[in-house]
Coordinates of all heavy atoms in Angstrom, one line a residue:
T1 N -82.1 22.9 17.5 CA -81.9 23.1 16.0 C -83.2 23.6 15.4 O -84.3 23.0 15.6 CB -81.5 21.8 15.3 OG1 -80.2 21.3 15.9 CG2 -81.3 22.0 13.9
D2 N -83.1 24.7 14.6 CA -84.2 25.3 14.0 C -84.4 24.8 12.6 O -85.5 24.5 12.1 CB -84.0 26.9 13.9 CG -83.9 27.5 15.2 OD1 -84.8 27.1 16.1 OD2 -83.1 28.3 15.4
V3 N -83.4 24.5 11.9 CA -83.4 24.0 10.5 C -82.4 22.9 10.3 O -81.2 23.0 10.8 CB -83.0 25.1 9.5 CG1 -82.9 24.6 8.1 CG2 -84.0 26.3 9.6
V4 N -82.8 21.8 9.6 CA -81.9 20.7 9.3 C -81.6 20.8 7.8 O -82.7 20.9 6.9 CB -82.5 19.3 9.7 CG1 -81.6 18.2 9.1 CG2 -82.7 19.2 11.1
I5 N -80.4 20.8 7.3 CA -80.0 20.8 6.0 C -79.6 19.4 5.5 O -78.6 19.0 6.3 CB -79.0 21.9 5.6 CG1 -79.7 23.3 6.0 CG2 -78.6 21.8 4.2 CD1 -78.8 24.5 5.9
V6 N -80.1 18.8 4.5 CA -79.6 17.6 4.1 C -78.8 17.8 2.9 O -79.2 18.2 1.9 CB -80.8 16.6 3.7 CG1 -80.4 15.4 3.3 CG2 -81.7 16.4 4.9
G7 N -77.5 17.4 3.0 CA -76.4 17.6 1.9 C -75.6 18.7 2.2 O -75.9 19.9 2.5
A8 N -74.3 18.4 2.3 CA -73.2 19.5 2.6 C -72.4 19.7 1.3 O -71.2 19.9 1.3 CB -72.3 18.8 3.6
G9 N -73.2 19.8 0.2 CA -72.5 20.4 -1.0 C -72.4 21.9 -0.9 O -72.8 22.6 0.2
I10 N -72.1 22.6 -1.9 CA -71.9 24.0 -1.9 C -73.3 24.7 -1.6 O -73.3 25.5 -0.7 CB -71.4 24.6 -3.3 CG1 -69.9 24.0 -3.6 CG2 -71.5 26.1 -3.3 CD1 -69.0 24.5 -2.5
S11 N -74.4 24.3 -2.2 CA -75.7 24.9 -1.9 C -76.1 24.7 -0.4 O -76.5 25.6 0.3 CB -76.7 24.3 -2.7 OG -76.5 24.5 -4.1
G12 N -75.9 23.4 0.1 CA -76.2 23.2 1.5 C -75.4 23.9 2.5 O -75.9 24.6 3.5
L13 N -74.1 24.0 2.2 CA -73.1 24.8 3.1 C -73.4 26.3 3.0 O -73.4 26.9 4.1 CB -71.7 24.5 2.7 CG -71.2 23.1 3.0 CD1 -69.8 22.9 2.5 CD2 -71.3 22.7 4.4
T14 N -73.8 26.8 1.9 CA -74.1 28.2 1.7 C -75.3 28.6 2.4 O -75.5 29.5 3.2 CB -74.2 28.6 0.2 OG1 -73.0 28.3 -0.4 CG2 -74.6 30.0 0.0
A15 N -76.4 27.6 2.3 CA -77.7 27.9 3.0 C -77.4 27.8 4.6 O -77.9 28.8 5.3 CB -78.6 26.8 2.7
A16 N -76.7 27.0 5.1 CA -76.3 27.0 6.5 C -75.5 28.2 6.9 O -75.9 28.7 8.0 CB -75.5 25.6 6.8
R17 N -74.7 28.6 6.1 CA -73.9 29.9 6.3 C -74.9 31.0 6.5 O -74.8 31.8 7.5 CB -72.9 30.1 5.3 CG -72.0 31.4 5.6 CD -70.9 31.4 4.5 NE -70.2 32.7 4.5 CZ -69.1 32.9 5.3 NH1 -68.8 32.0 6.1 NH2 -68.6 34.1 5.2
R18 N -75.8 31.1 5.6 CA -76.7 32.4 5.6 C -77.6 32.3 6.7 O -78.0 33.2 7.4 CB -77.5 32.3 4.3 CG -76.7 32.6 3.1 CD -76.2 34.0 3.0 NE -75.4 34.1 1.8 CZ -74.1 34.4 1.7 NH1 -73.4 34.4 2.8 NH2 -73.5 34.6 0.6
L19 N -78.1 31.1 7.1 CA -79.0 30.9 8.2 C -78.2 31.2 9.5 O -78.8 31.9 10.4 CB -79.5 29.4 8.3 CG -80.7 29.2 7.2 CD1 -80.9 27.7 7.0 CD2 -81.9 30.0 7.4
D20 N -77.0 30.7 9.6 CA -76.2 31.0 10.8 C -76.0 32.5 11.0 O -76.0 33.0 12.0 CB -75.0 30.2 10.7 CG -74.0 30.4 12.0 OD1 -74.4 30.0 13.0 OD2 -72.9 31.1 11.7
Q21 N -75.7 33.2 9.9 CA -75.5 34.6 9.9 C -76.8 35.3 10.4 O -76.7 36.4 11.0 CB -75.2 35.2 8.5 CG -73.7 34.7 8.1 CD -73.4 35.0 6.7 OE1 -74.3 35.1 5.8 NE2 -72.1 35.3 6.4
A22 N -77.9 34.7 10.2 CA -79.3 35.4 10.6 C -79.5 34.9 12.0 O -80.6 35.1 12.5 CB -80.3 34.9 9.7
G23 N -78.8 34.2 12.7 CA -79.0 33.7 14.1 C -79.8 32.5 14.2 O -80.4 32.2 15.2
I24 N -80.0 31.7 13.0 CA -80.8 30.5 13.0 C -79.9 29.3 13.3 O -79.0 29.1 12.5 CB -81.6 30.5 11.8 CG1 -82.6 31.7 11.7 CG2 -82.4 29.2 11.7 CD1 -83.2 31.9 10.4
E25 N -80.2 28.4 14.3 CA -79.4 27.3 14.6 C -79.6 26.2 13.5 O -80.8 25.8 13.3 CB -79.8 26.8 15.9 CG -78.8 25.7 16.3 CD -79.2 25.1 17.7 OE1 -79.7 26.0 18.6 OE2 -78.8 23.9 18.0
T26 N -78.7 25.8 12.9 CA -78.8 24.8 11.7 C -77.9 23.4 12.1 O -77.0 23.6 12.9 CB -78.3 25.3 10.4 OG1 -76.9 25.6 10.5 CG2 -79.0 26.6 10.0
L27 N -78.4 22.4 11.5 CA -77.7 21.1 11.5 C -77.5 20.7 10.1 O -78.5 20.7 9.3 CB -78.5 20.2 12.4 CG -77.9 18.8 12.4 CD1 -76.6 18.6 13.1 CD2 -78.9 17.8 13.0
V28 N -76.4 20.4 9.6 CA -76.1 19.9 8.4 C -75.8 18.4 8.4 O -74.9 18.0 9.1 CB -74.9 20.7 7.7 CG1 -74.7 20.2 6.3 CG2 -75.2 22.2 7.6
L29 N -76.5 17.5 7.5 CA -76.3 16.2 7.5 C -75.7 15.9 6.1 O -76.2 16.4 5.0 CB -77.7 15.4 7.7 CG -78.3 15.7 9.0 CD1 -79.8 15.0 8.9 CD2 -77.5 15.3 10.2
E30 N -74.7 15.0 6.1 CA -74.0 14.6 4.8 C -73.9 13.1 4.9 O -73.2 12.6 5.8 CB -72.7 15.4 4.7 CG -71.9 15.0 3.5 CD -72.6 14.9 2.2 OE1 -73.3 15.9 1.8 OE2 -72.6 13.9 1.4
A31 N -74.1 12.4 3.9 CA -74.0 10.9 3.8 C -72.6 10.6 3.3 O -72.2 9.5 3.7 CB -75.1 10.3 2.9
G32 N -72.0 11.4 2.6 CA -70.7 11.1 2.0 C -69.6 11.3 3.0 O -69.8 11.6 4.2
D33 N -68.4 11.1 2.5 CA -67.2 11.1 3.4 C -66.4 12.4 3.3 O -65.3 12.6 3.9 CB -66.2 10.0 3.1 CG -65.7 10.0 1.7 OD1 -66.1 10.9 0.9 OD2 -64.8 9.3 1.3
H34 N -67.1 13.4 2.6 CA -66.5 14.7 2.7 C -67.6 15.8 2.4 O -68.6 15.4 1.9 CB -65.4 14.9 1.7 CG -66.0 14.9 0.3 ND1 -66.2 13.8 -0.4 CD2 -66.2 16.0 -0.6 CE1 -66.7 14.0 -1.7 NE2 -66.6 15.3 -1.8
V35 N -67.3 17.0 2.9 CA -68.2 18.0 2.5 C -67.7 18.7 1.2 O -66.7 18.6 0.7 CB -68.3 19.1 3.6 CG1 -68.9 18.5 5.0 CG2 -67.0 19.8 3.9
G36 N -68.7 19.5 0.6 CA -68.3 20.2 -0.6 C -69.0 19.7 -1.9 O -68.8 20.2 -3.0
G37 N -69.6 18.5 -1.8 CA -70.4 17.9 -2.9 C -69.3 17.6 -4.0 O -68.4 16.9 -3.8
R38 N -69.7 18.0 -5.2 CA -68.9 17.7 -6.5 C -67.6 18.5 -6.5 O -66.7 18.3 -7.3 CB -69.6 17.9 -7.7 CG -70.7 16.9 -7.8 CD -71.6 16.9 -9.1 NE -71.6 18.4 -9.6 CZ -71.9 18.8 -10.7 NH1 -72.0 17.9 -11.7 NH2 -72.1 20.0 -11.0
T39 N -67.4 19.5 -5.6 CA -66.1 20.2 -5.5 C -65.2 19.4 -4.7 O -65.3 19.4 -3.4 CB -66.4 21.6 -5.0 OG1 -67.4 22.2 -5.7 CG2 -65.2 22.4 -5.0
V40 N -64.2 18.7 -5.2 CA -63.4 17.8 -4.5 C -61.9 17.7 -5.2 O -62.0 17.6 -6.5 CB -63.9 16.5 -4.2 CG1 -64.3 15.7 -5.5 CG2 -63.1 15.6 -3.4
N41 N -60.9 17.7 -4.6 CA -59.6 17.5 -5.1 C -59.3 16.0 -5.0 O -59.6 15.3 -4.0 CB -58.6 18.2 -4.3 CG -58.5 19.7 -4.5 OD1 -59.0 20.2 -5.5 ND2 -58.0 20.4 -3.6
L42 N -58.6 15.5 -6.1 CA -58.2 14.1 -6.2 C -56.6 14.1 -6.2 O -56.0 14.8 -7.0 CB -58.8 13.4 -7.5 CG -60.3 13.4 -7.6 CD1 -60.7 12.9 -8.9 CD2 -60.9 12.6 -6.5
D43 N -56.1 13.2 -5.3 CA -54.7 13.0 -5.4 C -54.3 12.1 -6.4 O -54.8 10.9 -6.5 CB -54.1 12.4 -4.0 CG -54.3 13.5 -2.9 OD1 -54.2 14.6 -3.1 OD2 -54.7 13.0 -1.7
V44 N -53.4 12.6 -7.4 CA -53.1 11.8 -8.6 C -51.9 10.9 -8.2 O -51.9 9.7 -8.5 CB -52.9 12.7 -9.9 CG1 -52.4 11.8 -11.0 CG2 -54.1 13.4 -10.2
T45 N -51.0 11.6 -7.7 CA -49.7 10.9 -7.2 C -49.1 11.9 -6.3 O -49.6 13.0 -6.0 CB -48.8 10.7 -8.4 OG1 -47.6 9.9 -8.0 CG2 -48.3 11.8 -9.2
D46 N -47.9 11.5 -5.7 CA -47.3 12.4 -4.7 C -47.1 13.8 -5.2 O -46.5 14.1 -6.2 CB -45.8 11.8 -4.4 CG -46.0 10.5 -3.6 OD1 -47.0 10.2 -3.0 OD2 -44.9 9.7 -3.8
G47 N -47.8 14.8 -4.6 CA -47.6 16.1 -4.8 C -48.5 16.6 -6.0 O -48.3 17.8 -6.4
V48 N -49.2 15.8 -6.6 CA -49.9 16.1 -7.9 C -51.4 16.0 -7.5 O -51.9 14.9 -7.2 CB -49.6 15.4 -9.1 CG1 -50.4 15.8 -10.3 CG2 -48.1 15.5 -9.4
V49 N -52.1 17.1 -7.6 CA -53.6 17.0 -7.3 C -54.4 17.7 -8.4 O -53.9 18.5 -9.2 CB -53.9 18.0 -6.0 CG1 -55.4 18.0 -5.8 CG2 -53.1 17.5 -4.8
T50 N -55.4 17.0 -8.8 CA -56.4 17.5 -10.0 C -57.7 17.8 -9.4 O -58.1 17.2 -8.3 CB -56.4 16.5 -11.0 OG1 -57.1 17.1 -12.1 CG2 -57.1 15.2 -10.6
E51 N -58.5 18.4 -10.1 CA -60.0 18.8 -9.6 C -60.7 17.6 -10.0 O -60.7 17.1 -11.2 CB -60.4 20.0 -10.3 CG -61.8 20.4 -10.0 CD -62.1 20.6 -8.5 OE1 -61.3 21.2 -7.7 OE2 -63.1 19.9 -8.1
G52 N -61.6 17.0 -9.1 CA -62.5 16.0 -9.5 C -63.9 16.2 -9.6 O -64.7 15.4 -9.7
G53 N -64.3 17.5 -9.7 CA -65.7 17.9 -9.8 C -65.9 19.1 -10.4 O -65.3 19.6 -11.3
G54 N -66.9 19.9 -9.8 CA -67.3 21.2 -10.3 C -66.1 22.1 -10.2 O -65.5 22.3 -9.1
Q55 N -65.8 22.7 -11.4 CA -64.5 23.4 -11.2 C -64.4 24.7 -12.1 O -63.5 25.4 -12.0 CB -63.4 22.5 -11.9 CG -63.6 21.9 -13.2 CD -62.7 20.8 -13.6 OE1 -61.8 20.6 -12.9 NE2 -63.0 20.2 -14.6
W56 N -65.4 25.0 -12.9 CA -65.4 26.2 -13.7 C -66.4 27.2 -13.2 O -67.6 26.9 -13.0 CB -65.6 25.9 -15.2 CG -64.4 25.2 -15.8 CD1 -63.2 25.8 -16.1 CD2 -64.3 23.9 -16.1 NE1 -62.4 24.8 -16.6 CE2 -63.0 23.6 -16.7 CE3 -65.2 22.8 -16.1 CZ2 -62.6 22.4 -17.1 CZ3 -64.8 21.6 -16.6 CH2 -63.5 21.4 -17.1
V57 N -66.1 28.5 -13.2 CA -67.0 29.5 -13.0 C -66.7 30.5 -14.1 O -65.6 30.7 -14.5 CB -67.0 30.1 -11.6 CG1 -67.5 29.2 -10.6 CG2 -65.7 30.8 -11.3
G58 N -67.6 31.4 -14.4 CA -67.3 32.4 -15.4 C -68.3 33.5 -15.4 O -69.1 33.6 -14.5
P59 N -68.2 34.4 -16.4 CA -69.0 35.5 -16.5 C -70.5 35.2 -16.4 O -71.0 34.2 -17.0 CB -68.7 36.1 -17.9 CG -67.4 35.7 -18.2 CD -67.3 34.3 -17.5
G60 N -71.2 36.0 -15.7 CA -72.8 35.7 -15.5 C -73.0 34.8 -14.4 O -74.2 34.7 -13.8
Q61 N -72.0 34.2 -13.7 CA -72.3 33.3 -12.5 C -71.9 34.2 -11.3 O -71.1 33.9 -10.4 CB -71.4 32.1 -12.5 CG -71.8 31.2 -13.7 CD -71.0 30.0 -13.8 OE1 -69.8 30.1 -13.8 NE2 -71.6 28.7 -13.6
D62 N -72.7 35.2 -11.1 CA -72.4 36.4 -10.2 C -72.5 35.8 -8.8 O -71.8 36.2 -7.9 CB -73.4 37.6 -10.4 CG -73.2 38.1 -11.8 OD1 -72.2 38.1 -12.3 OD2 -74.2 38.7 -12.3
S63 N -73.6 35.0 -8.4 CA -73.7 34.5 -7.0 C -72.5 33.7 -6.5 O -72.0 33.9 -5.5 CB -75.0 33.7 -7.0 OG -76.1 34.5 -7.1
I64 N -72.1 32.8 -7.4 CA -70.9 32.0 -7.0 C -69.6 32.7 -7.0 O -68.8 32.5 -6.0 CB -70.7 30.7 -7.8 CG1 -69.7 29.7 -7.1 CG2 -70.3 31.0 -9.2 CD1 -70.3 29.1 -5.8
L65 N -69.4 33.6 -7.8 CA -68.3 34.5 -7.8 C -68.3 35.4 -6.6 O -67.2 35.7 -6.0 CB -68.2 35.5 -9.1 CG -67.9 34.6 -10.4 CD1 -68.1 35.4 -11.6 CD2 -66.5 34.1 -10.3
A66 N -69.5 35.9 -6.2 CA -69.5 36.7 -4.9 C -69.2 35.9 -3.7 O -68.6 36.3 -2.8 CB -70.9 37.4 -4.8
L67 N -69.6 34.7 -3.7 CA -69.4 33.7 -2.6 C -67.9 33.5 -2.5 O -67.4 33.5 -1.4 CB -70.2 32.4 -2.7 CG -70.0 31.4 -1.5 CD1 -70.4 32.0 -0.3 CD2 -70.7 30.1 -1.9
I68 N -67.3 33.3 -3.6 CA -65.8 33.1 -3.7 C -65.1 34.2 -3.0 O -64.2 34.0 -2.3 CB -65.3 32.8 -5.1 CG1 -65.8 31.4 -5.6 CG2 -63.8 32.9 -5.2 CD1 -65.6 31.1 -7.0
D69 N -65.6 35.3 -3.4 CA -64.9 36.6 -2.9 C -65.2 36.7 -1.4 O -64.3 37.0 -0.6 CB -65.5 37.9 -3.6 CG -64.9 39.1 -3.2 OD1 -63.6 39.3 -3.3 OD2 -65.6 40.0 -2.9
E70 N -66.5 36.5 -1.0 CA -66.9 36.5 0.5 C -66.0 35.6 1.4 O -65.6 36.0 2.4 CB -68.4 36.2 0.6 CG -68.8 36.2 2.0 CD -70.2 35.8 2.2 OE1 -71.1 35.9 1.2 OE2 -70.6 35.1 3.1
L71 N -65.7 34.5 0.9 CA -65.0 33.4 1.6 C -63.5 33.6 1.5 O -62.7 32.9 2.1 CB -65.4 32.0 1.2 CG -66.8 31.7 1.3 CD1 -67.1 30.3 0.7 CD2 -67.2 31.7 2.9
G72 N -63.1 34.5 0.7 CA -61.6 34.9 0.6 C -60.8 33.7 -0.3 O -59.7 33.5 -0.2
L73 N -61.6 33.1 -1.2 CA -61.1 32.1 -2.0 C -60.5 32.7 -3.2 O -60.7 33.9 -3.5 CB -62.1 31.0 -2.3 CG -62.7 30.3 -1.2 CD1 -63.9 29.3 -1.6 CD2 -61.7 29.5 -0.4
S74 N -59.9 31.9 -4.1 CA -59.2 32.4 -5.3 C -59.6 31.5 -6.5 O -60.0 30.3 -6.3 CB -57.7 32.7 -5.2 OG -57.1 31.4 -4.9
T75 N -59.4 32.1 -7.6 CA -59.6 31.3 -8.8 C -58.3 31.4 -9.7 O -57.5 32.2 -9.4 CB -60.8 31.8 -9.7 OG1 -60.6 33.1 -10.0 CG2 -62.1 31.7 -8.9
F76 N -58.2 30.7 -10.7 CA -57.1 30.8 -11.7 C -57.7 30.7 -13.1 O -58.7 30.1 -13.3 CB -56.1 29.8 -11.4 CG -56.4 28.4 -11.5 CD1 -56.4 27.8 -12.7 CD2 -56.8 27.7 -10.4 CE1 -56.8 26.4 -12.8 CE2 -57.3 26.4 -10.4 CZ -57.2 25.7 -11.6
D77 N -57.0 31.4 -14.0 CA -57.5 31.3 -15.4 C -57.4 30.1 -16.0 O -56.5 29.3 -15.8 CB -56.7 32.3 -16.2 CG -56.9 33.8 -15.8 OD1 -58.0 34.1 -15.3 OD2 -56.0 34.6 -16.1
T78 N -58.4 29.7 -16.9 CA -58.4 28.5 -17.7 C -58.6 28.9 -19.2 O -59.4 29.8 -19.4 CB -59.6 27.6 -17.4 OG1 -59.5 27.2 -16.0 CG2 -59.7 26.4 -18.2
Y79 N -57.6 28.4 -19.8 CA -57.6 28.8 -21.3 C -58.5 28.0 -22.2 O -58.4 26.7 -22.0 CB -56.2 28.9 -21.8 CG -55.4 30.0 -21.0 CD1 -54.6 29.5 -19.8 CD2 -55.4 31.3 -21.2 CE1 -53.9 30.3 -19.1 CE2 -54.8 32.3 -20.5 CZ -54.0 31.8 -19.4 OH -53.3 32.6 -18.6
V80 N -59.3 28.6 -23.0 CA -60.2 27.8 -23.8 C -60.0 28.0 -25.3 O -60.8 27.5 -26.1 CB -61.6 28.0 -23.4 CG1 -62.0 27.6 -22.1 CG2 -62.0 29.6 -23.6
S81 N -59.0 28.7 -25.7 CA -58.7 29.0 -27.1 C -57.5 28.1 -27.5 O -56.7 27.8 -26.7 CB -58.5 30.5 -27.4 OG -57.4 31.0 -26.7
G82 N -57.4 27.9 -28.8 CA -56.2 27.2 -29.4 C -56.5 25.8 -29.5 O -57.6 25.3 -29.4
L83 N -55.6 24.9 -29.7 CA -55.7 23.5 -30.0 C -55.8 22.7 -28.7 O -55.1 23.1 -27.7 CB -54.5 22.9 -30.8 CG -54.3 23.6 -32.2 CD1 -53.1 23.0 -32.9 CD2 -55.5 23.3 -33.1
S84 N -56.6 21.8 -28.6 CA -56.7 21.0 -27.5 C -56.5 19.6 -27.7 O -56.3 19.1 -28.8 CB -58.1 21.1 -26.9 OG -59.1 20.6 -27.8

């Protein structure tokens, strides 16, 4: 192992991906029970899932939007106007 990354949140996983792409052997350590850090789905009830962490991206967040595109992930619109 050339590099040890502590934490398997989005930043740690992205760092590991970039290092791996450069041919550098990495080891990712995570103390929690899942990877992704604060990006996690929560089961509310049968068939109903809600977001339990980091969930919004928007204009100006070019790096995370590029990563979403690179990984083939998708987003959906969130409406912020009107009565809440």
Side-chain angles (χ1 to χ4, degrees):
T1 300
D2 298 314
V3 175
V4 175
I5 297 172
V6 179
I10 297 299
S11 295
L13 294 174
T14 300
R17 179 178 172 82
R18 296 290 181 248
L19 290 167
D20 182 66
Q21 289 170 332
I24 298 169
E25 186 177 335
T26 61
L27 173 66
V28 179
L29 302 176
E30 173 56 50
D33 62 355
H34 71 278
V35 299
R38 294 186 317 161
T39 305
V40 59
N41 288 336
L42 300 175
D43 293 322
V44 177
T45 187
D46 292 334
V48 178
V49 177
T50 188
E51 178 58 52
Q55 56 193 348
W56 289 287
V57 295
Q61 294 179 303
D62 299 331
S63 294
I64 192 67
L65 289 168
L67 181 62
I68 289 168
D69 186 53
E70 177 184 329
L71 297 175
L73 302 174
S74 62
T75 61
F76 57 90
D77 291 334
T78 299
Y79 299 96
V80 295
S81 61
L83 299 174
S84 60

